[in-house]
Amino acid sequence: VPAAHTTELQNARDATCTEPGYTGDEVCTVCGETVTPGETIPATGHTAGAAVKENEVAATCATDGSYDSVIYCSVCGEEINRETVTVTATGHTTEIQNARDATCTTDGYTGDEVCSVCGETITTGEIIPATGHSYKAVIIEATYTTQGCTRYTCTVCGHSYDTDYTAVKVIDETGESLKTQTTVQEQTDTTTESTDTSGTSAGSTTSAQTGDNSQMVLWLVLLLLSGVGAAGIAINNTKQKRSR
């Protein structure tokens, strides 16, 4: 009776992603005979991992960006696939800068359209002409201490200026209020220049009346002095008689 083989498995290997494996040969450890040959195990192929980005160039407002999308085998780490991906330019994100309103005296500006990301000026603004003042006139009456005038005030910015001045009010010697010094001057000029039907000026008449009044006062003073003098003489004579 032939002796039985004492076998062991030899030449076995695992399959890899790219290399086939082998189940191994059943070999007799005594005589070395291969009792049972092994079988080939097919290569497993790669197991793709998650894609990763490499060589990334960021897109800007005006320029496209890009990156490499790479897939590696999660078992052996070998690169399986590489693809370049283009990233479209983001475009500008704009806002208005340097804008200002026009005033009565200063030009305004519509503002520049500027990208808030890259700072590029997309559209340049335009000048807004100054609006000019919008004046409202108010007449201010003269008082006894201040002149009157017409005051023009801007309803937008408050700027004002005065014109058409009228004189301060005055009170004449009778206590009556005259309209203005200007009115008094006009009345005085009219009196000086006017004449009556006889050819004598009103101003001359006034002077004559003033002269008559002065003469009357002078006569009254002289009469008073005469009376005082006479009384003094009479008193003196009486004293002399008594002393005798």
Side-chain angles (χ1 to χ4, degrees):
V1 177
H5 292 294
T6 303
T7 61
E8 66 179 3
L9 191 64
Q10 296 182 6
N11 305 316
R13 64 178 180 277
D14 293 330
T16 66
C17 298
T18 57
E19 297 291 334
Y22 190 66
T23 60
D25 301 320
E26 190 177 355
V27 178
C28 179
T29 58
V30 177
C31 66
E33 181 182 347
T34 299
V35 178
T36 305
E39 296 179 356
T40 300
I41 304 171
T44 59
H46 293 297
T47 301
V52 295
K53 292 181 180 181
E54 295 182 355
N55 305 319
E56 187 171 7
V57 177
T60 65
C61 298
T63 305
D64 291 342
S66 66
Y67 64 89
D68 291 337
S69 178
V70 185
I71 298 176
Y72 291 96
C73 177
S74 61
V75 177
C76 69
E78 184 177 342
E79 182 180 311
I80 300 171
N81 185 65
R82 178 179 295 267
E83 179 182 0
T84 300
V85 179
T86 299
V87 180
T88 304
T90 60
H92 294 293
T93 301
T94 59
E95 62 183 7
I96 299 299
Q97 297 181 4
N98 308 315
R100 63 179 180 275
D101 293 332
T103 67
C104 299
T105 57
T106 305
D107 291 341
Y109 191 63
T110 58
D112 302 319
E113 189 177 1
V114 179
C115 178
S116 60
V117 178
C118 68
E120 181 181 347
T121 298
I122 309 303
T123 305
T124 302
E126 298 179 352
I127 297 296
I128 304 172
T131 59
H133 292 296
S134 178
Y135 287 113
K136 180 180 180 181
V138 175
I139 296 176
I140 299 176
E141 299 291 341
T143 68
Y144 295 110
T145 58
T146 59
Q147 290 179 309
C149 64
T150 299
R151 177 163 295 167
Y152 293 87
T153 303
C154 179
T155 59
V156 178
C157 70
H159 176 267
S160 65
Y161 70 93
D162 298 337
T163 186
D164 300 330
Y165 290 96
T166 57
V168 176
K169 289 183 177 181
V170 296
I171 299 177
D172 67 6
E173 62 273 9
T174 65
E176 294 181 357
S177 174
L178 300 179
K179 288 183 66 177
T180 62
Q181 292 179 344
T182 303
T183 305
V184 172
Q185 182 63 41
E186 291 175 352
Q187 291 175 347
T188 303
D189 294 342
T190 302
T191 302
T192 304
E193 295 174 359
S194 62
T195 58
D196 58 17
T197 53
S198 62
T200 304
S201 68
S204 299
T205 303
T206 302
S207 299
Q209 291 176 350
T210 303
D212 292 341
N213 292 335
S214 299
Q215 290 179 0
M216 290 177 64
V217 172
L218 179 61
W219 280 111
L220 289 174
V221 171
L222 290 175
L223 287 174
L224 180 61
L225 291 176
S226 298
V228 172
I233 292 173
I235 293 172
N236 187 43
N237 290 333
T238 302
K239 288 181 178 181
Q240 289 180 355
K241 287 180 181 182
R242 288 178 179 178
S243 62
R244 290 176 183 175

